[in-house]
């Protein structure tokens, strides 16, 4: 949860709740007891859902994923496939698939205000998020190209 940026999310949502006091944060993944201390100053406005095999994406207005290091971030593509906008860090591998129509990608060095603005834009949007599609066939083709390049590079050695 630290690598995934939960402490930053807590600060970010606390700042958003100044203008949107009814805003709710749902934390999916870590054990509630492990992260409850992050909400010591909160008076409600959050749910610690713990681990789930199936995240309730249709119930979310935006996915926040300011990870410090994330090889891909399957949760990002799953949210976009469910037409949920995303606001993520630029170190997530899935960032290459995030378009301006599906959300925002920010550097971790961006100030809190920039993150607040990006989330506010997604919460205020009127247009639907296009559905993200990345078929297994597409993934297989990417891997085939990758392995062909690796094989060719090894032949040169």
């Amino acid at each position: 949860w630290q690598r995934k940026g939960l402490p930053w999310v807590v600060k970010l949502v606390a700042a958003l709740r100044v203008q949107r006091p009814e805003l709710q944060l749902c934390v999916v993944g870590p054990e509630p007891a492990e992260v409850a201390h992050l909400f010591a100053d909160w008076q409600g406005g959050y749910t610690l859902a713990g681990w789930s095999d199936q995240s309730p994406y249709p119930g979310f207005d935006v996915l926040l994923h300011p990870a410090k290091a994330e090889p891909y971030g399957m949760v990002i593509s799953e949210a976009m496939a469910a037409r949920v906008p995303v606001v993520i860090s630029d170190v997530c591998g899935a960032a290459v698939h995030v378009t301006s129509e599906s959300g925002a990608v920010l550097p971790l060095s961006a100030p809190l205000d920039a993150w607040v603005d990006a989330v506010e834009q997604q919460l205020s949007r009127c247009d639907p998020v296009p559905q993200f599609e990345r078929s297994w066939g597409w993934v297989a083709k990417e891997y085939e190209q990758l392995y062909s390049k690796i094989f060719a590079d090894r032949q040169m050695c």
Side-chain angles (χ1 to χ4, degrees):
W1 57 267
Q2 291 175 348
R3 179 178 60 82
K4 305 240 183 217
L6 183 57
W8 185 248
V9 168
V10 172
K11 282 184 181 180
L12 172 58
V13 174
L16 280 162
R17 285 177 50 88
V18 171
Q19 297 298 320
R20 292 178 172 263
E22 300 301 315
L23 187 65
Q24 297 286 312
L25 173 62
C26 180
V27 178
V28 179
E31 287 297 318
E34 193 177 349
V35 297
H37 68 279
L38 297 172
F39 299 91
D41 297 333
W42 287 47
Q43 302 295 319
Y46 68 96
T47 302
L48 302 178
W51 175 253
S52 173
D53 286 337
Q54 183 67 30
S55 291
Y57 296 110
F60 296 155
D61 294 317
V62 66
L63 172 82
L64 302 177
H65 198 67
K68 295 176 183 175
E70 188 68 58
Y72 183 71
M74 187 60 81
V75 67
I76 299 163
S77 57
E78 289 174 352
M80 292 189 308
R83 298 179 183 240
V84 174
V86 300
V87 177
I88 67 168
S89 66
D90 61 353
V91 298
C92 296
V96 299
H97 300 293
V98 178
T99 65
S100 59
E101 291 83 25
S102 58
V105 178
L106 288 95
L108 289 171
S109 61
L112 183 63
D113 289 348
W115 283 85
V116 167
D117 290 345
V119 175
E120 182 60 42
Q121 285 179 9
Q122 298 309 312
L123 291 172
S124 300
R125 66 186 296 149
C126 297
D127 54 324
V129 176
Q131 186 167 17
F132 176 71
E133 293 184 32
R134 189 166 186 242
S135 70
W136 285 112
W138 185 5
V139 173
K141 189 172 187 171
E142 289 174 348
Y143 271 87
E144 180 182 25
Q145 292 170 351
L146 179 64
Y147 284 121
S148 292
K149 183 179 179 336
I150 292 169
F151 182 72
D153 289 347
R154 284 186 168 212
Q155 294 297 321
M156 294 179 146
C157 293

